[in-house]
Structure formats: structure tokens, C-alpha cells
Amino acid sequence: MLNGLWTLRLRQIPWGIVLVIMALGCFGLVVLFSAAGGHLDPWASRQGIRFGVLLVGMLVLAQVPSEFWLRYAYVLYGAVLLGLVGVEVLGAVRGGGQRWLDLGIIQLQPSEFMKLAIILALARFYHFVPRAFATSLTGLWPPLLMIAVPGALVMLQPDLGTALSIGFGGVAVMFLAGVRIWLFLSAGGAILAALPVAWTMLHDYQRKRVLIFMDPASDPLGAGYHITQSKIAIGSGGLTGKGFLEGTQSHLDYLPELHTDFVFATMAEEWGVLGGLAIIAGFGIILAWAVGVALRTPTQFGRLAAMGLACTLFFYLAINMMMVMGLAPVVGIPLPLISFGGSAMMTVLILLGIVMGIARAGRTERL
Amino acid sequence: MSGGISSASAANDPLFTRRAMLIGGGMAAVGGTLLARMTYLAVFEGEKYRLASEDNRVSLRLIPPRRGWIVDRAGLPLASNAPDYRVELIPEQVTDLDATLRAVGQVLSLSPEELARIHAEVARQPKYMPVELAHGLAWRDFATLNIRLPDLPGLVPVAGFSRTYPGGEAFAHLLGYVGSPTPAQYQVEHDPLLIFPGFKLGKDGIERTQDAPLRGIAGARRVEVNARGRVIRDLDTRSDTPGKTVRLTIDKGLQAYAARRIGDDSASVVVMDCQTGDVLCMVSMPAYDPNVFSTRVPADLWKALQASDHHPLLNKSAQGLYPPGSTFKMMTSLAILGSGISPDATCNCGGTYRLGNAIWHCWSRRGHGTTNLRNGLPRSCDVYFYTFGRAAGIEAIATMARKFGLGEKFDLPLAAQSAGLVPDSAWKERRYKKPWGIGETLNTSIGQGYLALSPLQLAVMASRLASGRVIVPRLLADEPKVPIPLLDIPPEHLAIVRHGMDDVVNGPGGTAHSAKLQVEGVGMAGKTGSAQVRRISMADRKAGRANTKFQPWKYRDHGLFVAFTPIEAPRYAISVVIEHGAHGAAAAVIARDVLTYLLEPERAYQVLGVIEADVAKRKAAAEKAATAADAEAIVTAPQTAVAGEATPD
């Protein structure tokens, strides 16, 4: 009986996707092993344990039915928002930018969870709003407020990357929920039109100040060096790379943040375009699967959540890779599953666990 | 479960499907863009980035070449490289700077000034650049520090080389010294070696002129460096080519002896081999210690050297210019003989010579009586030379002087050489726009007036007189020898002059009688001279100050002496100039001792002991008096209308 249920449950897990996730995670461990100069310490070993634990966590979360997320979406959102305020208060007390909530056993970064909570909360909002009202004033201001408040709080930390991620995810859900396209176009148009005018009105030092204000965490002087060295690492890798443990940019400290934000460059130097292709293909499979889940899911909440979460994951990937290739400014966004660090890995694996849960619901069609 | 969930599948919601597909398409497009960008960076621009990464990784580190030795004619070292034990500190590796310096201080006793310098350099330089704590460590201290290395991170003992001059001061002017290159030098030759820390090149003398062969060729080490400039590992090495050894014609022992024999005088001694032109000795005293100059010159030492009236920074042998005084009378004699005047032609010397209404004095107030060339030269009778020099004329005298290398710069690897001056009427016209006067001929014929010659030129003159050949001085022993042509002067004229020089030393009434060589069977022939530094006025004569000994040191005459030995088959020629040395006899005694060293070194050293004890006594007295010496440029200004000499030249 119980056995039967378990086998059923196990069979419902999309093992192909789990395998892709594991492959990506293990590739990440290999890159971190090389980044430490061929040592498990200090990164690969810790990341490996973390990955193992969080992978199990993901499979557990995959068992959670999507009704649960629907029911508690606002509660979750509220809790995370409270956490953000708490961090802000703590920061004010201790002085300096604060991102962490230290609970003794674990350090939590509420802004990370907000990336997920905003998607779930907005999906729930639109789940109960008829499409006709989506573009009305009453249908517009709550989601905008729900995006703006945490976004502003995260900006205060200051963490431009995460704030953008929250905004991107939120707007993506609004778009998917059927908010009239002309709203996006006109909003986008207005912003685009205003940008050059505003920009030309500023003095050089003010522009710099704006840049620093928007992202104080990134050093504008250091950014140029970062990008140059990163491009050298990627470019010198060539098609097949310099070989495992043979990277010079990474091993000789030319590449900054080689194990976190610029881990893709570390990888590319040793594995070349083929390594990059492997990572992009791996994530491509995962994203395609998530989009497929969204398309198959019958409930408005489920499909909005699945697609919104896919957008959140995509935002991580796109910004990080564009940054290391010199296509985007340097914002501190890690490469999920590959970069060393618990927060991004936790966020992404929780996100994938939720999508797996939705996928199950979509397949069984019993919501 | 929860109420009101509509069961509309995505398939029935074309809007969602459209928009989801749109976003999905966007994702695929971005993924494609990323792949394309990556391919572009890695494949199309791959070469550029590969070079850039190689540039990052590989750094060329120079291996400075060992500087070549300078040796004397027998191969004895004059400049070599001594192991130099240094200790350096790499700030980025130091855990506790103060504790480390304390620990090093226990072994080396660093002075407060040193500590201040170290702290300043640590603060100023990039953290991976080594800072020198001390150099020239004793082997014992160096070993002690090496043992303590494990508990002093960042401490680097370096066994390098430093230039050392075993001969010290005696060779300072000849060899020069080494020092760090100036930025200007780096502008001229963009050799990266010049900005290598601790690299030194020749700053003066042979070290400077022979810098190219001595320098050698730097080796290179390709190393892998990290972003902070730390060397990770060696890739490959091209070893350095040490500099070539430069062999000089100098005789180390002779030069060292001459320097000691000069004592505390301000003097120059040049000895030449008058068969080959080899310069055996070129010494100028007082000097400085090139060993000190090649490290860091203390400011107070530098000031003292600059202020000294003995001109220790000037190479008197090649740059000092003096009126040759009576040593020039050989030139006048040859000019007289050359213009067809018989050596037996006489004049009567009554102590004065009248030109118009001016009186020209002979150095002997009583006069020499009937004088011809054969006895006029040994007795150095001024009136004879006034009379017959005037008859020969300035052009003949000047032409003769130039045949003997006077007023000439020689092709020698010296840092600086003065050409001096042999005046004639054309020069006077060019220089002063005035015609040449008879009085000036008189002055020139006794070696005064406009004449200004260097001790080196006087030595060349003596070599040519002794050998009858156009001897050219040589300093580099390994340069090819060229055949030496004969002088176009009748040998019998030269014989008469040489005989006169023999009589100066060995004849009755010769002016350098005291300087007779004591070596069995070997004679020296020479000529004394004294060069006036200041005109003797009538007031001086009346006050009895005509004798130069009663003048303050800086107004006394220069004493000169040129000589060769042996008389029958000359081998060595010498010139000695003592600044303010009163008269030529003093110089003659030094010449005698220096030449004695070449013939019988033991005898020469016996003399030295007495003289050095005497110098030490004088020094002690002088330190008590502690008079401030005031610097004064070497007098090369022409003396006009010299009214006779008071010294027996």
C-alpha cells in the first residue's frame, strides 16, 4: 500500500530532469575543484555536501502539491517581507548594508526567497482575478505594489541584481496573466524615451553617481578589469579549452571572483566553447521542460507559477552569462548550480522542486 | 481542493500559450546569443585572448650579467666582483614588520636612520617588491639569519655580487666607479637591464668608457607570475653572458707604490713604457675610494671631497693643466737646433734680460755667465732660452711642441681629457684679435705664459724624447700594436737634448742632483720645472717673498719633473707634477723613487716607510689645527709678463 504509493510517487518524479540537474551540479563541483587548484578544499567539498542535501530537499518539495503553494502564497510572501524588514532594521542597528538574517544554525537571505515568493504571490493574485479585470486599475495596483515594496527594500540593502530579478519575475507573471500588451509597450516606450533625455541632462560625475547609486556594491573602477580578465579567460579557452586544471587566468589570480560570479569564465577557460555549450544546453533542457510544464498545467495558478519560476531561473542564467561575456554590466548574480555559494543553489533547487510539484499536478490533473 | 480553481487547461487559453511561447522563444534567442558570443570570443578572437592570457601569465625576468673584471698588465685584478651578502624583506609576506625588524636587529644592529628608511620604503613600494634591509653582511651574520629564516616569513637572504676595487684610491681616477643608471641614460638606450633593481654601470674612467664590453649580455628567465607579480614557477632560462675582462697596460704594484709615495701631496704621476707607449701608471692623488662610491656616497663625504683644495675628484693626470715651466725647455732647445743655430752658440747671462724697457729675470740672480745649449739646459738658464728662443721664433717652438704630443688629446679610454694649449701667433689672433708679442715668445720659451699642458702630455713628451719615436700612449693591453714611426728630427739634435737631461740629474750643477738613481749601473735623465701660480710682483721681491716657500700653500709654484731611464737605452718615461710643490726637485725625488720601484722594489719600499711616518706626523698636527680648506680651481690662467723665477729650474 504504502510501498505502492512510494513507487508511484518516485515514478512521478521527472528523473531525466533530475539527471540533468545532477550533471550540472557535478560539473560545477569539477570546476570548483579546479578553481581551488585541484583541491576539494575550500569549495568543492562544501558545495558537494550542500548540493546533496539540497537535491534531496528538492525531491521532497516535489511531493508538495501545488494547492499548498496556492494556499500559503500570501503567508509566505508576508513572512519573507517581514524578513526583509528585519534585515533592514538589523542593518540600521549594526550599521552598514545587511543582507543576512543570522538564525544561529543558518544564515538566511530573505531577498533570495523573495524571488520565489513574489512569483507565487502574484500567481495566486491572478488566479482569482478574472482576465477582464487584469488590466483595470484595481487589477493593476496590487501586483505593482507587491513588486515595488520588496524591490525597494532589496535596493536599500543595496542589491541591484536581486531587485532586478524580483522585478523581472513579477513583471513576467503580470505579462503572462494577460495584462494588456499595450501597457507593457507604452511603459517600456516611456522608460526608453525618458532615459536618453534624463541621461543627457546629467553631468558626468552625476552619471557616475547614478551608476554607483544604482549598484554601489560593484566597484565601477574594478568592473572594467573584471570584464577584461573574464573575456580573456573565455576567449583564450578556444573551442575545446586549455584542459582540466590547466587554466592560467583562474589559477594565477587574474580572474576575480573565479569561484562565484565568474565561475563560468573559469569553466570556459578549461573546457572551452564545448563546456559552455554543455551548460547552456543543460539549462536549456531544464527551461524547456519548465515551459512545457507551464503549457500543460490546467490551473491558472500552476501555469503562472511554473512559467514565472522558469523566468526567474532564466534571469539568473542570462544576466550572469551576459556579464561574464561582457554583454551586461557587472552585477553580483551567481550562476545557479555552478557558482560556489548556498543561497543561489538553495533558491534554484527549491524553485525546481516547486515546478516538479506543479508538473505532477499537471499530469494527474486533479487540482 | 481549494475553491474556485477553474479547470481551464493551457490549451484552452490561447493568450497564455502565446505569451508563454513568446517568452520561451525569447529565452531560446538569448541562449543562442550567448553561445554565439562565446564562440565569437573563443574562436574568432581566440588568438587575441590567447596572447593576452599568455601575456598575463608569462613574465620575462632578467638575469643581470656578471660585470667583467678589469685587470692590470699581469692579470692582477683592479676591479672585480665580490660576493655581497644582502638581506631583503618582502612586505606582503611579513606577518609582523616590527617583530621581524627587531629579530633582524639583534643580528645586524640596524641604526634608527636605517629603520626609518626601511619603513619609508615599505610604505612607498608595492607590497611584493623587496626592500633591502642591509648589504655587505659578514658571512657569519648572513649564516645566522639563514638559520632563523623559518620563523621570519618574508625575509629573503640574497647572495649577490658587488663591484670591488682591491687597489682602492690609487686607481680611483683611472678606473672610475659604478653606480645606478640615470633616467636619462634609460631614455637613450632602452635596455631593460638599466631599470633592473641593483644594476650598476660605469660612471667614470675605464668603467664608463669600457662599459659595453664590461657589461655583458643579460640572461632571461621566463617565469609564470600571478596577478600580484609573485613568481609561481620557472618556465625556461637563457643564461647570462658575463662581461669581458678588460686588461690594462697598468702595472698594479707600480701604481699602488706611486700613490703611496705621493703621500699627502696633491700630485700626479704618469709612467710610460717608452718603447711601446704602454701607460704603466697613471695616478692622481688625493683620490676617493671607489668602493664607497660604488655603493652609496655619504653626503658629508661628498661635500668634503668637493670642498678640498687638493681636488680629489679631478683626474689631474689627464685633466689637470699646468704651465710646464722649465720642462718645456727641451722643446725650445730642439726648436733652436732645428732653426740651424749651433748648440755651441753662446750668450752671456747676467741674471737679467732686457726687452725694450722691461727687465726679464733669470732664476739665478747672479747669472750663469757664458752659456750655450750644452750647459744652458742642465742649469736651466732662462736668459739663454730668452735669447735663442726669440731667435728661433714662436712658430718653430709651437711646431716642435706639437710634434711631441703637447696640446693633443690621445685616443685613450679615459672619461675626460684636456687638450691643453700650445700657443702661437695664429691662436693669439683668433683668441684675442691681437698680434703675437715678443714678450710672449720669451715667456713661452721658458714654459710659462699661455702654455697649459697635462701631466699625461708631459709623459708622452718624455717618451718621445727618450725613444725618438712618435710614441702614443696605450691603456688597453689587448689592442693591436701598431708600428711606431720615427720622429722627423735629426737624431743628433735629440742626443744633445738627452745629454743635457742627463746632466740635469748627474752632471755638475744640475738642478735635480738630489734625485740621482741609487740603483747600480742605471741612470736617469730628466728635467725639473716649476710653474708659477701667481705673478711675482716687484713688491714681493722687495719684501723677500720672491722665494715661493714663503707663500701660502695655494700660491706656491707647481713642481714638475719629466725623466726617462735608463739613459743609454731608455725603457721608462715619467712625468711628475706636484701642485704647489714649490719646485721641480721635490717632484724629481718622487720620480726617482717611482722609477726605483720598477728597477729595485725593495729599495723603493725602504724609502716609503720614512716618508709615510712623516706624513702621519703631519696629519696629526693638521688635525689639531683643523683648518678649513677653501676650494680653488686649478690655475690654468695664462700668466703674463713673468718677471723671472726664484727657484733653481
Side-chain angles (χ1 to χ4, degrees):
Chain A
M1 184 71 187
L2 199 74
N3 215 2
L5 182 67
W6 266 113
T7 44
L8 177 69
R9 280 293 169 101
L10 281 173
R11 265 190 285 123
Q12 282 174 341
I13 289 172
W15 287 111
I17 296 302
V18 174
L19 211 64
V20 173
I21 292 168
M22 282 173 75
L24 281 169
C26 290
F27 191 28
L29 295 181
V30 167
V31 174
L32 288 179
F33 174 79
S34 171
H39 298 288
L40 286 171
D41 265 355
W43 301 316
S45 54
R46 288 162 60 192
Q47 182 88 343
I49 292 163
R50 207 180 274 147
F51 182 60
V53 170
L54 289 170
L55 201 66
V56 172
M58 174 187 82
L59 295 175
V60 171
L61 275 178
Q63 308 313 311
V64 177
S66 56
E67 293 95 327
F68 173 88
W69 298 117
L70 176 68
R71 190 173 302 143
Y72 292 105
Y74 284 166
V75 179
L76 267 172
Y77 178 84
V80 176
L81 199 61
L82 208 65
L84 275 176
V85 174
V87 164
E88 208 45 51
V89 170
L90 269 178
V93 173
R94 286 195 207 156
Q98 191 73 31
R99 294 186 191 184
W100 309 90
L101 267 185
D102 203 340
L103 301 180
I105 344 159
I106 190 167
Q107 288 185 320
L108 283 181
Q109 229 177 317
S111 58
E112 278 295 323
F113 291 116
M114 186 45 86
K115 291 174 186 171
L116 305 178
I118 187 76
I119 305 283
L120 297 175
L122 287 176
R124 172 181 173 146
F125 176 83
Y126 284 112
H127 186 78
F128 294 114
V129 171
R131 172 135 327 143
F133 290 93
T135 317
S136 69
L137 202 61
T138 43
L140 269 177
W141 71 259
L144 284 175
L145 198 69
M146 281 157 85
I147 298 168
V149 172
L153 280 170
V154 173
M155 279 294 273
L156 282 173
Q157 288 189 354
D159 187 349
L160 179 72
T162 303
L164 283 175
S165 178
I166 292 166
F168 180 81
V171 171
V173 174
M174 287 174 76
F175 176 74
L176 290 163
V179 174
R180 287 271 166 258
I181 205 136
W182 60 262
L183 258 178
F184 292 96
L185 293 177
S186 51
I191 290 166
L192 277 176
L195 269 181
V197 178
W199 198 245
T200 49
M201 281 165 64
L202 296 173
H203 286 288
D204 263 353
Y205 76 93
Q206 285 174 316
R207 280 178 211 168
K208 200 172 255 180
R209 211 175 272 182
V210 167
L211 289 171
I212 293 172
F213 167 75
M214 281 171 73
D215 189 10
S218 82
D219 169 17
L221 286 175
Y225 174 82
H226 283 39
I227 289 296
T228 307
Q229 296 301 342
S230 173
K231 278 161 74 179
I232 289 173
I234 295 169
S236 63
L239 200 60
T240 55
K242 292 175 183 172
F244 183 51
L245 298 179
E246 296 295 318
T248 57
Q249 287 288 98
S250 48
H251 292 160
L252 298 175
D253 305 335
Y254 289 99
L255 193 60
E257 304 291 337
L258 75 160
H259 61 295
T260 55
D261 294 356
F262 285 88
V263 75
F264 187 84
T266 306
M267 181 284 306
E269 191 185 9
E270 294 186 359
W271 303 92
V273 176
L274 294 181
L277 181 65
I279 286 182
I280 290 171
F283 280 116
I285 292 166
I286 293 169
L287 285 170
W289 163 76
V291 171
V293 168
L295 290 174
R296 280 195 305 271
T297 303
T299 64
Q300 175 73 340
F301 171 77
R303 61 188 173 214
L304 284 180
M307 196 67 205
L309 291 171
C311 285
T312 302
L313 173 59
F314 166 76
F315 186 80
Y316 262 117
L317 300 168
I319 294 294
N320 177 276
M321 292 194 212
M322 282 164 79
M323 172 180 88
V324 299
M325 293 182 198
L327 294 173
V330 175
V331 284
I333 289 188
L335 184 62
L337 302 182
I338 314 282
S339 283
F340 176 80
S343 299
M345 184 171 258
M346 176 150 55
T347 308
V348 168
L349 287 174
I350 290 172
L351 178 154
L352 290 168
I354 295 170
V355 177
M356 282 174 188
I358 293 167
R360 198 163 44 82
R363 243 202 328 274
T364 53
E365 291 207 22
R366 41 169 214 100
L367 203 66
Chain B
M1 295 265 150
S2 71
I5 294 187
S6 61
S7 229
S9 162
N12 322 339
D13 187 354
L15 180 124
F16 177 84
T17 307
R18 256 203 325 272
R19 293 195 174 187
M21 293 301 270
L22 193 69
I23 290 181
M27 288 179 184
V30 170
T33 308
L34 286 171
L35 260 180
R37 168 74 174 173
M38 196 175 167
T39 310
Y40 172 75
L41 287 179
V43 178
F44 295 95
E45 288 196 323
E47 201 48 44
K48 181 177 100 178
Y49 288 119
R50 256 190 295 284
L51 283 173
S53 93
E54 204 59 8
D55 261 2
N56 272 347
R57 181 176 81 95
V58 177
S59 160
L60 271 181
R61 298 286 164 103
L62 284 173
I63 303 170
R66 196 94 56 81
R67 197 168 174 81
W69 283 26
I70 303 175
V71 297
D72 85 338
R73 60 189 304 114
L76 297 170
L78 301 177
S80 58
N81 307 306
D84 177 31
Y85 298 112
R86 295 197 310 274
V87 60
E88 292 176 344
L89 193 75
I90 298 180
E92 76 168 356
Q93 297 172 13
V94 177
T95 43
D96 181 347
L97 181 64
D98 289 317
T100 307
L101 288 177
R102 261 201 306 281
V104 175
Q106 284 166 3
V107 182
L108 297 179
S109 65
L110 298 163
S111 69
E113 295 86 52
E114 287 283 297
L115 285 170
R117 175 187 65 83
I118 291 162
H119 278 292
E121 282 186 8
V122 169
R124 197 185 64 231
Q125 290 182 353
K127 289 282 168 275
Y128 56 83
M129 284 265 293
V131 172
E132 185 181 273
L133 296 186
H135 65 264
L137 270 67
W139 168 248
R140 211 193 138 76
D141 295 341
F142 188 68
T144 311
L145 282 175
N146 267 290
I147 290 163
R148 299 203 47 187
L149 279 187
D151 39 331
L152 295 173
L155 204 65
V156 186
V158 185
F161 288 92
S162 68
R163 199 65 162 166
T164 177
Y165 302 91
E169 291 200 350
F171 299 88
H173 295 298
L174 179 71
L175 301 178
Y177 54 97
V178 294
S180 302
T182 60
Q185 277 168 312
Y186 182 64
Q187 297 296 331
V188 175
E189 48 167 331
H190 258 289
D191 189 341
L193 197 56
L194 295 187
I195 47 177
F196 189 87
F199 176 77
K200 300 231 163 90
L201 45 67
K203 286 287 193 187
D204 202 353
I206 301 282
E207 290 276 31
R208 190 173 102 197
T209 57
Q210 297 298 299
D211 193 64
L214 286 169
R215 190 186 293 183
I217 300 159
R221 190 160 71 108
R222 279 176 76 242
V223 290
E224 193 171 69
V225 290
N226 71 4
R228 287 185 294 282
R230 168 106 41 91
V231 174
I232 304 298
R233 60 181 173 154
D234 277 72
L235 297 171
D236 57 307
T237 306
R238 191 189 70 226
S239 61
D240 60 313
T241 314
K244 291 191 180 65
T245 298
V246 171
R247 195 165 71 94
L248 302 181
T249 56
I250 296 289
D251 178 331
K252 185 181 180 182
L254 175 70
Q255 177 125 347
Y257 178 86
R260 283 176 69 183
R261 178 59 190 80
I262 289 170
D264 58 351
D265 270 323
S266 175
S268 151
V269 175
V270 181
V271 180
M272 283 173 64
D273 181 321
C274 55
Q275 290 169 356
T276 60
D278 284 3
V279 178
L280 301 176
C281 161
M282 185 189 280
V283 74
S284 169
M285 294 300 280
Y288 53 85
D289 185 351
N291 292 304
V292 173
F293 265 55
S294 293
T295 53
R296 265 197 296 262
V297 186
D300 47 356
L301 170 68
W302 179 249
K303 275 204 203 76
L305 288 171
Q306 278 195 308
S308 168
D309 59 358
H310 282 47
H311 309 293
L313 294 172
L314 185 90
N315 183 4
K316 299 184 190 78
S317 305
Q319 289 171 274
L321 291 176
Y322 310 89
S326 304
T327 56
F328 191 73
K329 285 175 181 166
M330 281 84 80
M331 299 297 98
T332 316
S333 304
L334 287 169
I336 290 165
L337 293 171
S339 53
I341 295 165
S342 158
D344 300 312
T346 60
C347 69
N348 185 41
C349 168
T352 56
Y353 178 86
R354 191 174 279 281
L355 175 69
N357 54 5
I359 302 228
W360 297 71
H361 292 265
C362 185
W363 64 266
S364 163
R365 229 183 252 193
R366 288 180 297 109
H368 293 98
T370 307
T371 312
N372 61 13
L373 181 56
R374 294 179 204 278
N375 60 14
L377 186 61
R379 295 198 213 150
S380 204
C381 172
D382 292 330
V383 171
Y384 172 85
F385 287 98
Y386 291 147
T387 311
F388 291 99
R390 183 180 172 184
I394 183 64
E395 301 308 326
I397 295 171
T399 308
M400 186 57 68
R402 288 186 189 122
K403 281 184 187 170
F404 283 81
L406 304 181
E408 187 183 323
K409 272 193 187 178
F410 303 103
D411 181 21
L412 287 174
L414 294 168
Q417 241 190 108
S418 300
L421 175 66
V422 175
D424 58 16
S425 50
W427 168 83
K428 175 92 192 282
E429 195 59 50
R430 268 202 315 277
R431 177 81 176 68
Y432 292 107
K433 307 271 183 288
K434 282 198 185 115
W436 185 265
I438 305 250
E440 287 160 338
T441 307
L442 302 192
N443 257 340
T444 307
S445 55
I446 62 157
Q448 304 285 0
Y450 297 118
L451 271 170
L453 306 175
S454 70
L456 173 64
Q457 288 168 348
L458 291 173
V460 171
M461 176 185 85
S463 310
R464 292 186 185 182
L465 278 170
S467 64
R469 290 177 180 274
V470 189
I471 299 291
V472 177
R474 302 169 76 245
L475 262 174
L476 300 175
D478 299 324
E479 273 191 348
K481 291 198 165 99
V482 288
I484 306 170
L486 286 167
L487 283 164
D488 60 341
I489 290 166
E492 56 275 20
H493 291 185
L494 285 169
I496 292 166
V497 171
R498 281 192 210 123
H499 187 73
M501 289 171 77
D502 182 355
D503 282 345
V504 167
V505 182
N506 308 306
T511 52
H513 215 73
S514 53
K516 209 178 268 182
L517 271 185
Q518 304 299 306
V519 182
E520 196 62 45
V522 186
M524 171 174 83
K527 182 74 193 81
T528 53
S530 64
Q532 285 182 348
V533 171
R534 181 179 168 210
R535 197 176 153 208
I536 306 170
S537 65
M538 283 320 277
D540 283 332
R541 285 186 199 283
K542 284 207 182 77
R545 279 199 304 268
N547 190 327
T548 192
K549 273 189 285 207
F550 302 124
Q551 301 274 4
W553 184 80
K554 64 177 179 182
Y555 295 136
R556 287 183 202 164
D557 295 350
H558 298 313
L560 297 88
F561 187 69
V562 296
F564 59 84
T565 185
I567 297 170
E568 298 73 27
R571 187 63 214 277
Y572 304 114
I574 186 168
S575 82
V576 178
V577 176
I578 308 182
E579 288 191 344
H580 313 296
H583 51 79
V589 176
I590 291 184
R592 177 198 67 195
D593 292 343
V594 171
L595 291 177
T596 302
Y597 172 87
L598 282 169
L599 305 162
E600 273 186 35
E602 308 80 16
R603 187 191 292 276
Y605 269 112
Q606 279 164 15
V607 180
L608 203 56
V610 180
I611 289 165
E612 287 189 333
D614 195 40
V615 168
K617 225 185 306 180
R618 267 212 302 277
K619 221 181 207 147
E623 269 165 22
K624 274 198 190 119
T627 47
D630 55 329
E632 194 192 330
I634 286 202
V635 178
T636 54
Q639 313 291 314
T640 49
V642 172
E645 297 171 273
T647 43
D649 283 347

